[in-house]
Amino acid sequence: MLRGLMGDQPLLVSMCIRHAARNHADTEIVSRTVEGPIHRYTYAEAEQRARRAAKALLRLGVAPGDRVATMAWNTYRHFELYHAISGIGAVCHTINPVLSDEQIVYIFNHAADRLLFLESTFVPLIERLRPQLPADLRIVLLGEAETSLATVGLYEDLVAAETDTFDWPQFDERSASALCYTSGTTGKPKGVLYSHRSTMLHALGASLPGALAMSAADVVCPVVPMFHVCAWATPYTAPMNGTKLVYPGPKLDGASLYELFEAEGVTLGLGVPTVWLNFHNYLRDNNKNVTTLRGVASGGSAIPRSLLQAYEARGVVMLHAWGMTEMSPLGTTAALKAKHLRLDHEEQMRIRLTQGRPVLGVETKIIDGNGKALPHDGKTVGELLVRGPWITSAYYNDEEATRKAVEPDGWFHTGDVASIDPDGYIQLTDRLKDVIKSGGEWISSIDLENAAMAHEGVAEAAVIAISHPKWGERPLLLVTARAGSRPGHDDIIALLAKRFPKWMLPDDVVVLDELPHTGTGKVLKSRLREMFADYKVNV
Ligand code: ADP
């Protein structure tokens, strides 16, 4: 083999912030702080402070490979920590504060974190859990807070005590850069350990046109939290592309986001469907228009057609994306191809509502119950497997979970059920654990939910399986009502009957005040299954 003769610099996360500080020095990072006021500075200043933070970490004895935890909102301080921690070869372990106490305790102990950077908001939570956390865990406060916790002090003081003469070290690109645990809707959370190489390749992939692309002329607001799957890589992609960053801090309601978007000229937003639903409801109810927003990326759960249409009517392109913690997270986006532009609007909608096609670097396949590969014909449904340089090959210190999820040749079981069409577009029909198995046939809970959400009186919908003596399982539809409306059983079923055969229709419809959600905004079906475990249909 003839070796290429090109530069062999390692792909390190520190490349992003160094690049931004040199070439986009005056581009801003704007944050709504936890304390309230807007904070504004530039990439040059952010890098300077990240260098000081890096030196502070070294002074505190943090060594390469050490796990350093953060429990914080999306603000400039969290951005600095992402770069300072990974930049010295330590592991930026973002912890999701909305998980259950039990899960948080498990995660801290499993990761054996050495240090925690703690937002004042979450001080009471850590005070409560402190006795169960590792004894040698030291805590730095990100903002002033009254607390009984023993701490190393304030982040601002640590940064102020250092000078910014510091060179980002060079090391092996295969070193771990960040750690994120899955939300564990079933079983215990599992650690996904990203490397510098995987993070950089993923950020480059996510920056491609048709993916989560952003330019130096854009203003991006990651509404997705930095405490879950690295806010879809935006701490890396924004500096990589010289994009102005706007951080919403803890205020994610429609009014706060609208004020920030308009004041800062946000052109691109990233978030889960619930965020975009709330944002749209705010605009509609208050007769507001967005003047700078041109696109939003929505992922994490399926988007209802009505939501895509609502944004389309405002001239905002909603891009549907699919991925998971184990995929860094980006797998696919539902961007159209040139040939689709000739199709009618309805056909285009159908494609844009799929989970999309893979970004270069993500291989996909579907298999049946015996592991046999199924055709990519857009009809055949099977379990979806993925593989690639930014997809996990093992869970962190969890051999049992790894054995269940990863094949010896690297294919990862997503637990999602899908079809793949000849153009590579994936249509998710369910989670393997949520699909309703009725008399040997599978009924997609997602399809029924999307159809139910098209009813004007329905705000949110979830379909779960209830056990049935004859059919094994049958679907039960749970909905919440839009303000001021009372959706009725019969008209929802009549609406669904237009699209589904009779045997697929829910056996009953129950209207609830609210649906339980996971920390990341997904409907918590395990809780619903518990709530309706003994449900008997009244017929
Ligand atoms: P967890 O921590 O529970 O793994 P993730 O945020 O990683 O949470 O969620 C991954 C799962 O979320 C996927 O496997 C899939 O089931 C679901 N998901 C993500 N994006 C979409 C989407 N666009 N449409 C439907 N489901 C999605």
Side-chain angles (χ1 to χ4, degrees):
M1 196 223 284
L2 182 63
R3 274 184 79 100
L5 295 173
M6 309 311 280
D8 202 16
Q9 286 76 16
L11 293 172
L12 297 178
V13 162
S14 54
M15 287 170 97
C16 299
I17 196 167
R18 278 170 56 214
H19 170 79
R22 283 199 196 138
N23 306 300
H24 303 279
D26 61 356
T27 299
E28 286 182 312
I29 301 179
V30 179
S31 314
R32 191 193 290 280
T33 60
V34 177
E35 297 79 26
I38 295 287
H39 176 277
R40 184 184 297 279
Y41 70 172
T42 62
Y43 275 122
E45 290 167 276
E47 198 233 1
Q48 220 168 41
R49 278 176 47 101
R51 272 190 263 144
R52 288 166 176 247
K55 283 171 83 177
L57 288 166
L58 293 171
R59 194 179 298 280
L60 288 168
V62 174
D66 282 351
R67 274 76 61 212
V68 176
T70 64
M71 212 179 225
W73 295 110
N74 291 14
T75 74
Y76 67 103
R77 289 191 184 124
H78 208 172
F79 176 84
E80 290 165 8
L81 283 168
Y82 260 73
H83 292 281
I85 298 169
S86 303
I88 62 164
V91 181
C92 180
H93 174 203
T94 55
I95 300 188
N96 186 341
V98 284
L99 297 179
S100 70
D101 283 8
E102 192 189 338
Q103 289 175 327
I104 293 174
V105 167
Y106 174 83
I107 289 172
F108 268 108
N109 287 289
H110 188 267
D113 295 297
R114 305 245 356 238
L115 198 60
L116 163 66
F117 287 87
L118 181 61
E119 198 88 81
S120 53
T121 322
F122 310 120
V123 163
L125 171 71
I126 295 301
E127 281 174 347
R128 185 170 76 241
L129 302 182
R130 185 68 189 97
Q132 300 170 69
L133 303 184
D136 60 356
L137 175 75
R138 290 179 299 164
I139 299 172
V140 179
L141 295 174
L142 283 177
E144 303 270 1
E146 284 291 317
T147 176
S148 58
L149 291 167
T151 74
V152 192
L154 267 177
Y155 174 69
E156 285 304 328
D157 294 341
L158 296 183
V159 170
E162 303 293 338
T163 61
D164 49 19
T165 48
F166 178 74
D167 289 328
W168 296 106
Q170 299 286 296
F171 44 81
D172 185 349
E173 66 184 23
R174 287 178 174 77
S175 317
S177 61
L179 176 63
C180 182
Y181 280 73
T182 62
S183 345
T185 35
T186 53
K188 51 187 174 30
K190 292 168 290 216
V192 182
L193 189 61
Y194 310 113
S195 68
H196 284 261
R197 176 185 149 83
S198 76
T199 302
M200 291 301 285
L201 291 175
H202 173 258
L204 287 166
S207 295
L208 290 171
L212 306 176
M214 57 188 78
S215 77
D218 273 314
V219 180
V220 66
C221 179
V223 187
V224 284
M226 292 166 86
F227 54 68
H228 192 58
V229 231
C230 304
W232 301 357
T234 46
Y236 318 111
T237 49
M240 182 181 268
N241 293 290
T243 310
K244 173 176 167 182
L245 258 172
V246 176
Y247 280 135
K251 293 219 163 141
L252 308 181
D253 60 285
S256 305
L257 287 181
Y258 179 71
E259 190 192 303
L260 200 60
F261 281 23
E262 289 298 306
E264 298 302 329
V266 169
T267 59
L268 177 66
L270 290 87
V272 293
T274 331
V275 160
W276 300 126
L277 184 66
N278 291 341
F279 186 62
H280 163 70
N281 288 348
Y282 171 80
L283 297 178
R284 187 198 53 204
D285 297 346
N286 295 280
N287 231 342
K288 304 273 192 200
N289 283 314
V290 283
T291 59
T292 58
L293 193 67
R294 64 170 176 83
V296 295
S298 181
S301 33
I303 44 176
R305 167 182 290 258
S306 52
L307 194 62
L308 196 76
Q309 281 165 336
Y311 278 81
E312 188 173 52
R314 294 187 175 280
V316 177
V317 179
M318 175 171 274
L319 179 69
H320 193 192
W322 168 82
M324 56 200 307
T325 309
E326 289 89 336
M327 301 175 72
S328 298
L330 185 62
T332 58
T333 62
L336 298 180
K337 299 184 179 184
K339 66 177 180 182
H340 299 141
L341 303 178
R342 294 193 296 270
L343 300 175
D344 65 24
H345 181 253
E346 183 51 34
E347 272 296 296
Q348 291 187 3
M349 280 297 266
R350 194 190 56 71
I351 297 163
R352 292 176 56 203
L353 283 166
T354 68
Q355 274 65 27
R357 57 188 159 82
V359 177
L360 170 90
V362 177
E363 268 185 277
T364 56
K365 69 171 177 181
I366 44 175
I367 57 166
D368 67 12
N370 301 317
K372 191 172 127 274
L374 296 168
H376 294 192
D377 58 9
K379 291 193 282 282
T380 314
V381 165
E383 195 200 345
L384 180 60
L385 274 66
V386 290
R387 186 165 72 171
W390 63 76
I391 292 163
T392 196
S393 65
Y395 288 108
Y396 180 57
N397 282 346
D398 198 335
E399 274 171 30
E400 193 196 329
T402 301
R403 233 185 348 265
K404 280 192 199 150
V406 187
E407 297 288 332
D409 56 0
W411 285 101
F412 171 78
H413 289 256
T414 64
D416 284 334
V417 177
S419 64
I420 304 179
D421 79 7
D423 287 327
Y425 288 82
I426 287 170
Q427 177 76 63
L428 241 67
T429 54
D430 236 315
R431 297 286 284 166
L432 213 46
K433 62 184 192 304
D434 292 338
V435 73
I436 292 120
K437 298 168 191 87
S438 175
E441 296 286 341
W442 283 8
I443 302 175
S444 159
S445 63
I446 294 185
D447 285 351
L448 286 172
E449 287 157 8
N450 285 342
M453 277 191 275
H455 186 287
E456 57 189 12
V458 172
E460 211 176 5
V463 171
I464 56 165
I466 45 170
S467 58
H468 189 281
K470 181 163 173 209
W471 301 112
E473 290 179 354
R474 290 294 304 155
L476 171 68
L477 172 61
L478 310 162
V479 299
T480 58
R482 257 186 219 293
S485 66
R486 293 175 57 120
H489 173 285
D490 293 351
D491 46 297
I492 294 179
I493 294 291
L495 180 73
L496 297 180
K498 288 188 195 155
R499 283 198 45 206
F500 298 93
K502 196 155 180 293
W503 64 271
M504 278 196 187
L505 296 178
D507 279 15
D508 205 357
V509 182
V510 180
V511 183
L512 298 174
D513 289 340
E514 58 178 352
L515 297 181
H517 288 95
T518 65
T520 45
K522 293 175 204 191
V523 174
L524 190 56
K525 291 202 177 171
S526 54
R527 176 80 195 100
L528 287 172
R529 279 192 282 266
E530 277 164 29
M531 285 163 62
F532 290 90
D534 301 320
Y535 193 79
K536 294 275 175 300
V537 179
N538 238 346
V539 277

